[in-house]
């Protein structure tokens, strides 16, 4: 399986922004140049293993959290992410999100070959 560098970059950018970090700060924390962080976030460069580990450590996440879009055995990462997204929802928000998920799941199974 090929690594999805664009998806890795999107995750890194999202996590960086969630933590209130600039590209400059993440670069300093991970031993990278700011331009390299920009390239990584755009999926324009391949990451070396030391770079991947450095960025994961700086963001205080596991490497599998950054690679989950490229790993078939990463179900727990997505489940944890979903639980985190739902953790601060109100009762009404949870009700609406649950119904949306139910409808989306039914559509995916009816119209697309998305099963693993």
């Amino acid at each position: 399986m090929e690594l999805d560098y664009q998806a890795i970059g999107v995750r890194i950018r999202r996590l960086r922004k969630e933590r209130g970090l600039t590209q400059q700060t993440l670069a300093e924390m991970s031993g990278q140049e700011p331009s390299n962080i920009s390239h990584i976030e755009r999926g324009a460069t391949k990451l070396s293993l030391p770079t991947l580990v450095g960025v994961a450590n700086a963001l205080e996440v596991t490497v599998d959290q950054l690679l989950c879009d490229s790993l078939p055995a990463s179900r727990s990462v997505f489940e944890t992410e979903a639980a985190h997204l739902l953790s601060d929802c109100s009762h009404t928000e949870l009700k609406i999100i649950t119904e949306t998920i139910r409808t989306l799941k039914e559509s995916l199974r009816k119209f697309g070959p998305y099963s693993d």
Side-chain angles (χ1 to χ4, degrees):
M1 169 179 264
E2 187 70 25
L3 289 178
D4 188 343
Y5 291 101
Q6 200 133 31
I8 294 167
V10 167
R11 285 188 173 278
I12 289 171
R13 178 176 33 254
R14 181 179 49 76
L15 290 163
R16 174 181 61 78
K17 287 183 175 186
E18 283 177 4
R19 284 153 178 73
L21 302 174
T22 64
Q23 287 182 342
Q24 174 74 36
T25 304
L26 179 57
E28 291 169 5
M29 293 172 69
S30 62
Q32 300 299 308
E33 293 296 320
S35 61
N36 194 34
I37 297 298
S38 175
H39 290 137
I40 290 168
E41 288 185 355
R42 289 184 285 116
T45 189
K46 294 183 176 182
L47 290 82
S48 68
L49 188 55
T51 298
L52 184 65
V53 171
V55 170
N57 285 335
L59 293 170
E60 298 180 339
V61 297
T62 62
V63 172
D64 63 326
Q65 287 176 274
L66 300 180
L67 297 176
C68 64
D69 296 293
S70 299
L71 299 171
S74 59
R75 179 183 179 107
S76 65
V77 172
F78 293 114
E79 289 172 345
T80 300
E81 187 173 351
H84 175 72
L85 290 169
L86 298 173
S87 66
D88 65 345
C89 289
S90 69
H91 174 79
T92 302
E93 289 171 332
L94 282 172
K95 183 177 175 182
I96 293 167
I97 291 169
T98 301
E99 186 55 39
T100 302
I101 291 170
R102 182 178 291 111
T103 303
L104 177 60
K105 181 179 171 184
E106 289 170 2
S107 293
L108 287 171
R109 291 188 173 175
K110 181 176 181 181
F111 298 113
Y114 300 105
S115 61
D116 295 286

